Amino acid sequence: MKKTTFLLVLIISIPIFIVLYNLILPSNQNWKHIYDYLLKDYVINSLKLIFGTAILSSILGVLSAWFVSYYEFPYRKAIEWALVLPLTIPPFIGAYVYAGMLSYTGTIQTFLMKYTEFKGKSYLLDIMSIPGAVFIFSIFLFPYIYLTVKSFFSKQITGIIEASQSLGKNILTTFFKIILPLARPAIVGGTSLVLMEVLNDYGVVKYFGIPTFSTGIFKAWFSLGDINTAIKLSAVMLLFVFIILSLEKYLRQNRSYFTKNKKPIKRRSLKGIQLFFVMSFYVIVILLSFLLPVMQLIQWSIFSYKNTNIKFLELTFNSLFISFISAILIIITALIISDTIRFSRKNSKILSKLATMGYSIPGAVIAVGVIVFFINLDKSLYPLYNLLGLRTKLLLSSSILMLIYAYIVRFLNIAYSPIDANFEKNGKSYHEASRSLGKSFFYTFLKVDVPMIKPAIISAFIFSFIEIIKELPLTLILRPFNFDTLATKVFEYANDEMIHEASVASLTIIIIIFIFIMILRKITGDDK
């Protein structure tokens, strides 16, 4: 089992090491051109997107969590649930919808020109810019911060807040002087998840015409046909990500504010102007982040559903099939690695870090490492292909196996973290009792260990499934010829300026994710 785990971790880590190794290899003319004229723009634009999104999404996430945690107001429970719904809309779909709504013939601009004196001021609604991308990322990704900060608020600091108020401090002083500093680890943790999504994005920046690392990698590979430059750019992006992660780790180091004195929250009822402000905030946030885009997609779908054909069913099947298979394999891999590591603490931290580092690395970077690995694998296996009478030189690198493998590398951490936490929580006593009764390690693993963490496994499967079905950069680069998913088809339609035709596939993705989030809420008990 230990050898199997070590081999699994090694195989999962290979694409990352391939990318890093290429940093020290000689560069060609394309790379020199990118280094001299384009790399500066990639870095500056990426930094602008990161800082802008970090600030705006943190404001939305913290305020949303603060209000629902410490105040009582009408429809609080429903609003608490609705604030998770923006996660059902991938940012690239949100970008297409807003670009369509705010265009010259779009719903919003048409309305404004008809009923106001807005004509001639179209430039005010130009969303296809860096500020527009910051808005898109923030409005659809802030729930990551909302969920982490809300969890922190609800469990940790009630007693501290009461102590502050008993000393005569008003609510604003308490919020800025105590709440925000205490919640900083949770805010930084949630924000780091948002920033990883921003760096991973390709759909939004490509559609808005913003040069970033992701667009540079695609351009080097598909436009210049230069995989070496794509690898070199991926390696630089990887260093960029490591710097961001190191900064995040530094900001959180040695800061823990957990208290054993956990008290239930006593929510204050809101009235008057305070109630109006809070309700207005939530109405605007939920309208912009979910209701407005979904209503627009429904309207476009009504106009364009007649163009939907049998191909749409194939796209849906492809998306469900590859998400299901990949999520199952991710769960199995996470179970094997986690169960082995907990009984072998020697080098366990290094192995778990190596196995799960893919989630912090953008999909385009992983895709470059994966395809180089599979091409080399095909070269090594070519004599075997000849022996078997196969006429192809690229059997594995043109198959769906390459895409599934890439999903495992990228999303293993989503399954590993909850499974490992639950193994840690349950301890080793049941496992050891089974072994003392003469049962084998494999039997104990299947009949004792796995059933005890069943809810965590189901949650991990749902999270993995959701991430895969809306994933775009990996799928675009590594999908086999003539294999499309709902996400890739939405991207193709939008880039061909066929926004209306993309609406049915977009709505289907949102509905599937919505159903899985509802199942997850049922399993975790959040719906009560």
Side-chain angles (χ1 to χ4, degrees):
M1 196 75 166
K2 289 178 185 175
K3 289 179 181 175
T4 306
T5 300
F6 182 78
L7 186 63
L8 269 176
V9 173
L10 182 66
I11 292 172
I12 290 168
S13 312
I14 285 175
I16 314 300
F17 290 123
I18 287 175
V19 172
L20 285 175
Y21 172 71
N22 276 270
L23 262 180
I24 59 174
L25 295 182
S27 50
N28 57 23
Q29 286 300 318
N30 288 331
W31 169 248
K32 288 177 182 174
H33 173 78
I34 288 176
Y35 184 83
D36 290 338
Y37 300 105
L38 300 175
L39 189 59
K40 184 181 173 184
D41 287 339
Y42 295 160
V43 173
I44 292 174
N45 289 337
S46 297
L47 286 174
K48 285 179 180 177
L49 289 173
I50 283 173
F51 283 116
T53 305
I55 292 170
L56 184 55
S57 59
S58 294
I59 292 171
L60 293 174
V62 173
L63 287 181
S64 299
W66 170 243
F67 293 149
V68 296
S69 298
Y70 287 95
Y71 295 102
E72 193 61 62
F73 46 84
Y75 310 110
R76 187 186 61 79
K77 276 281 185 186
I79 289 171
E80 189 176 353
W81 168 77
L83 288 169
V84 183
L85 293 180
L87 287 179
T88 62
I89 305 177
F92 67 92
I93 291 178
Y96 305 150
V97 175
Y98 267 99
M101 284 195 299
L102 296 171
S103 66
Y104 186 77
T105 55
T107 311
I108 294 176
Q109 199 161 157
T110 303
F111 176 84
L112 290 174
M113 286 194 290
K114 188 174 181 180
Y115 296 103
T116 68
E117 297 180 355
F118 185 78
K119 198 170 183 180
K121 300 176 183 175
S122 303
Y123 62 92
L124 294 175
L125 295 179
D126 181 15
I127 197 172
M128 299 179 76
S129 58
I130 289 180
V134 167
F135 167 76
I136 292 294
F137 287 130
S138 301
I139 206 72
F140 293 110
L141 297 176
F142 82 89
Y144 284 117
I145 302 172
Y146 160 73
L147 289 171
T148 53
V149 176
K150 184 168 79 75
S151 173
F152 180 83
F153 282 164
S154 63
K155 294 177 182 176
Q156 303 298 335
I157 55 176
T158 304
I160 299 172
I161 293 173
E162 288 176 357
S164 169
Q165 292 176 338
S166 68
L167 292 172
K169 303 296 181 186
N170 63 34
I171 192 63
L172 282 178
T173 304
T174 303
F175 181 75
F176 285 107
K177 297 284 186 181
I178 297 177
I179 304 299
L180 281 185
L182 287 177
R184 195 165 74 178
I187 297 170
V188 172
T191 306
S192 65
L193 290 176
V194 171
L195 298 187
M196 288 305 105
E197 291 290 330
V198 173
L199 287 172
N200 181 54
D201 171 75
Y202 175 68
V204 178
V205 292
K206 172 70 170 60
Y207 193 64
F208 283 8
I210 302 170
T212 63
F213 282 106
S214 294
T215 58
I217 292 169
F218 272 79
K219 188 176 180 180
W221 196 335
F222 292 107
S223 299
L224 302 177
D226 186 352
I227 193 168
N228 292 327
T229 299
I231 296 173
K232 190 77 80 177
L233 199 52
S234 300
V236 176
M237 187 177 184
L238 198 55
L239 289 179
F240 188 79
V241 171
F242 283 152
I243 292 171
I244 299 289
L245 290 176
S246 301
L247 183 64
E248 183 260 344
K249 194 174 180 180
Y250 172 77
L251 289 173
R252 286 204 291 178
Q253 68 176 355
N254 299 325
R255 292 181 176 88
S256 59
Y257 303 99
F258 296 94
T259 172
K260 294 179 180 177
N261 186 21
K262 298 178 182 178
K263 293 183 178 179
I265 296 173
K266 294 178 183 176
R267 294 189 176 87
R268 290 178 51 200
S269 293
L270 287 176
K271 296 177 183 176
I273 189 70
Q274 290 180 333
L275 177 61
F276 174 77
F277 172 77
V278 170
M279 293 303 290
S280 300
F281 170 79
Y282 282 130
V283 167
I284 293 170
V285 169
I286 295 171
L287 192 68
L288 292 177
S289 62
F290 185 74
L291 291 179
L292 209 54
V294 169
M295 286 191 294
Q296 181 64 85
L297 283 172
I298 291 172
Q299 187 201 22
W300 287 342
S301 298
I302 292 170
F303 293 138
S304 63
Y305 80 94
K306 291 178 183 175
N307 299 329
T308 303
N309 51 30
I310 191 70
K311 182 79 175 172
F312 171 75
L313 295 177
E314 183 185 328
L315 295 174
T316 307
F317 174 78
N318 287 348
S319 297
L320 293 173
F321 170 75
I322 197 155
S323 301
F324 181 82
I325 295 294
S326 302
I328 289 287
L329 292 174
I330 286 171
I331 295 297
I332 292 172
T333 308
L335 279 170
I336 292 172
I337 294 175
S338 181
D339 194 58
T340 307
I341 282 178
R342 70 178 177 139
F343 290 103
S344 176
R345 287 301 169 191
K346 189 180 178 183
N347 301 323
S348 60
K349 275 194 173 181
I350 297 174
L351 286 176
S352 62
K353 286 282 182 190
L354 284 173
T356 58
M357 64 182 172
Y359 191 60
S360 55
I361 297 170
V365 177
I366 291 176
V368 171
V370 167
I371 201 162
V372 172
F373 174 46
F374 269 70
I375 287 174
N376 285 317
L377 206 57
D378 271 332
K379 286 179 181 174
S380 304
L381 294 174
Y382 183 58
L384 179 65
Y385 299 162
N386 264 335
L387 195 65
L388 296 173
L390 301 173
R391 295 183 178 180
T392 178
K393 292 182 178 178
L394 302 173
L395 181 65
L396 294 175
S397 55
S398 60
S399 71
I400 201 168
L401 288 175
M402 184 168 65
L403 183 57
I404 292 173
Y405 167 72
Y407 286 145
I408 295 173
V409 174
R410 173 90 171 91
F411 298 117
L412 181 62
N413 186 46
I414 294 175
Y416 178 83
S417 294
I419 287 172
D420 188 56
N422 273 266
F423 272 144
E424 192 72 30
K425 182 181 172 185
N426 289 331
K428 303 172 187 174
S429 55
Y430 294 101
H431 178 95
E432 289 168 350
S434 172
R435 293 301 305 271
S436 67
L437 293 172
K439 303 298 180 185
S440 68
F441 188 93
F442 188 66
Y443 178 91
T444 304
F445 174 70
L446 287 180
K447 297 293 183 181
V448 178
D449 295 339
V450 171
M452 287 183 68
I453 59 166
K454 194 174 174 183
I457 293 173
I458 296 172
S459 300
F461 172 82
I462 291 175
F463 276 126
S464 305
F465 187 95
I466 289 173
E467 288 292 336
I468 294 168
I469 204 164
K470 64 181 183 180
E471 213 289 330
L472 186 62
L474 270 183
T475 318
L476 272 178
I477 295 176
L478 299 178
R479 61 185 163 149
F481 177 71
N482 210 21
F483 181 87
D484 284 312
T485 64
L486 289 167
T488 60
K489 188 52 74 175
V490 170
F491 175 81
E492 287 178 5
Y493 275 138
N495 277 276
D496 292 338
E497 298 301 330
M498 299 168 68
I499 300 292
H500 292 192
E501 283 73 10
S503 59
V504 177
S506 300
L507 263 183
T508 306
I509 293 174
I510 294 170
I511 291 169
I512 292 171
I513 297 174
F514 179 84
I515 292 170
F516 274 86
I517 285 181
M518 291 302 102
I519 295 172
L520 188 63
R521 281 174 59 83
K522 191 78 177 171
I523 292 169
T524 57
D526 287 347
D527 60 333
K528 294 177 182 175

